[in-house]
Amino acid sequence: MADYNLAIIPGDGVGPEVVAEGRKVLDALAAQDAELNFRYTEFSWGSAYYRETGRMMPEDGLAEVSACDAILFGAVGDPEIPDHITLQGLLLPMRRAFDQGVCIRPAYLYPGVTSPLAGKEAGDIDLVIFRENTEGEYAPVGGRLYPGTPHEIVMQTNVFTRRGTERIIRAAFEHCVKRNKKNLVTSVTKSNAQAFGMVFWDEVFEAVSADYPQIRTESLLVDRVAMDLVRWPEAFDVMVASNLFADIISDIAAVATGSMGLAASANINPEGIFPSMFESVHGAAFDIAGQGIANPLATISAVGMMLDHLGQPESARRVEAAVMRSLEERRFVTGDLGGSATTAQVGDEVVRLVGEV
Ligand code: NAI
Ligand code: MG
């Protein structure tokens, strides 16, 4: 009997709406398999909690989460609270505290989904972005001196460690070998302008690549990659980039494959000391929050990634197959994909299909 204790952090905006559908799918899998059980511990943290307490989560909150097997996360963000408070108060500290240095973000053009890029067929775009997730440009290192004065000084420092850089690059190569598609790893940097951190990254990339002679490599500048993801996204296979660059290119890749509402993300602690966290790439989506119309498929695909991580590959395959089938058949699709279904209808449809695939 596999019995998992999952931490559920729905958060803000559309987070609770899409996380509810992810849970529905987990419950359906457990109902169909006597050998599989999920227990949930829900944490009501986020902007509402901040309004009450002045914090996004309790000071010792992560201690309780650390006992769980994995985390399903919604989103954080509030139109009235600055983003650096919401993200730096919950999401980013959790990634760092649980040493979730390897973030995996697949982008696939599903059948039944229209890319905004002309002439792309299902499967044409099929890439995975590996994002360094605990340091780089998002390290909270810096400060402000003489604030508000004419001689104010502001420093924001990028942090690249050999451990963190090598870990994400090696994870990308390992995945490329396992995936066995185009056998290409693309490193994304800006070494022409950032001559310390990015040049160091290039050196580590070259050193690690020597261990994978069967894998082709390329090193591209991030502005060039922004262009190539629009003009020939089908050329990419596995991409690896720093925290900020991968954040930006994963939104481009998500929208190139049809919608932010489809892009899933796994935040992995590779050593397995702490729980890993699974979420959508998208945020709180203020413009559609509270209406029950957000696409839950990104979160449901993240649930699939979570099942794979927990050692349930057959359940993971069924979730992914059900997502794909729901898009191909288009009986229930949300507004972002040109349909008019509600969030709950799409979740119910995936539940129905999980029983068939
Ligand atoms: P966003 O990802 O929330 O929304 C971007 C666009 O994509 C919007 O037009 C939205 O309607 C659409 N979209 C997002 N999710 C969708 C879904 N499930 N179905 C259909 N359409 C969807 O990015 P934005 O607007 O930049 O950020 C809003 C807030 O979320 C900000 O406070 C930001 O800091 C926060 N944020 C939080 C993240 C997280 O918790 N992981 C990640 C990104 C942003
Ligand atoms: Mg992002």
Side-chain angles (χ1 to χ4, degrees):
M1 173 77 163
D3 183 27
Y4 299 104
N5 179 16
L6 304 179
I8 308 285
I9 308 177
D12 302 332
V14 297
E17 302 170 41
V18 294
V19 162
E21 303 311 310
R23 255 176 89 153
K24 229 187 229 177
V25 173
L26 286 165
D27 287 338
L29 289 165
Q32 290 163 24
D33 184 349
E35 293 301 306
L36 191 59
N37 189 47
F38 302 105
R39 284 172 293 129
Y40 308 107
T41 310
E42 187 159 328
F43 298 89
S44 311
W45 300 339
S47 296
Y49 188 89
Y50 178 85
R51 284 196 171 84
E52 274 171 37
T53 65
R55 301 182 57 92
M56 290 292 286
M57 63 176 166
E59 205 163 351
D60 56 352
L62 291 178
E64 209 180 327
V65 179
S66 72
C68 296
D69 295 309
I71 305 158
L72 182 61
F73 186 83
V76 283
D78 186 283
E80 287 159 9
I81 305 172
D83 282 336
H84 68 270
I85 290 178
T86 52
L87 264 79
Q88 287 286 0
L90 175 51
L91 180 63
L92 303 187
M94 182 161 62
R95 288 177 181 161
R96 286 193 296 265
F98 294 151
D99 201 15
Q100 295 161 346
V102 173
C103 178
I104 308 172
R105 300 182 151 189
Y108 182 80
L109 181 56
Y110 286 104
V113 177
T114 308
S115 169
L117 307 176
K120 304 295 179 216
E121 305 289 332
D124 282 356
I125 307 173
D126 182 4
L127 59 90
V128 186
I129 296 166
F130 274 67
R131 172 188 188 185
E132 199 297 311
N133 214 30
T134 48
E135 50 183 54
E137 307 88 342
Y138 291 4
V141 176
R144 294 176 74 152
L145 209 54
Y146 314 118
T149 67
H151 54 284
E152 181 163 7
I153 303 169
V154 184
M155 308 263 283
Q156 177 93 46
T157 305
N158 295 351
V159 175
F160 292 92
T161 66
R162 187 170 288 281
R163 171 181 176 266
T165 308
E166 187 171 336
R167 177 166 69 172
I168 189 63
I169 291 172
R170 196 167 288 284
F173 275 97
E174 286 294 325
H175 184 82
C176 191
V177 171
K178 208 170 88 188
R179 176 174 152 89
N180 195 20
K181 287 195 170 161
K182 296 192 192 83
N183 294 321
L184 170 67
V185 177
T186 304
S187 170
V188 183
T189 60
K190 189 67 186 171
S191 323
N192 55 352
Q194 299 205 297
F196 304 114
M198 293 291 166
V199 168
F200 167 73
W201 176 290
D202 284 347
E203 287 168 13
V204 175
F205 182 72
E206 206 182 316
V208 172
S209 72
D211 294 338
Y212 301 89
Q214 73 277 36
I215 303 295
R216 290 180 297 126
T217 62
E218 62 182 355
S219 197
L220 299 179
L221 301 173
V222 64
D223 36 358
R224 159 74 188 269
V225 167
M227 182 172 76
D228 287 355
L229 275 171
V230 173
R231 65 175 175 172
W232 49 56
E234 59 276 12
F236 293 109
D237 183 18
V238 175
M239 310 177 79
V240 61
S242 64
N243 215 333
L244 172 65
F245 290 175
D247 193 358
I248 296 170
I249 65 173
S250 51
D251 272 27
I252 305 176
V255 95
T257 49
S259 173
M260 285 306 293
L262 295 174
S265 177
N267 302 260
I268 305 290
N269 171 238
E271 294 78 17
I273 299 166
F274 300 104
S276 293
M277 189 252 291
F278 300 83
E279 59 171 343
S280 57
V281 169
H282 68 73
F286 307 141
D287 49 347
I288 56 168
Q291 301 172 44
I293 57 168
N295 190 341
L297 292 178
T299 301
I300 293 172
S301 288
V303 161
M305 296 176 86
M306 180 169 79
L307 290 163
D308 206 27
H309 175 78
L310 290 170
Q312 298 292 334
E314 173 54 18
S315 296
R317 185 202 62 76
R318 286 171 61 204
V319 171
E320 198 41 40
V323 167
M324 172 123 49
R325 181 89 75 83
S326 79
L327 290 166
E328 193 170 12
E329 293 180 356
R330 290 188 68 88
R331 282 162 39 102
F332 294 97
V333 289
T334 42
D336 54 315
L337 298 175
S340 58
T342 64
T343 308
Q345 282 175 320
V346 174
D348 291 344
E349 176 71 350
V350 174
V351 164
R352 184 183 72 79
L353 291 167
V354 152
E356 287 185 7
V357 292

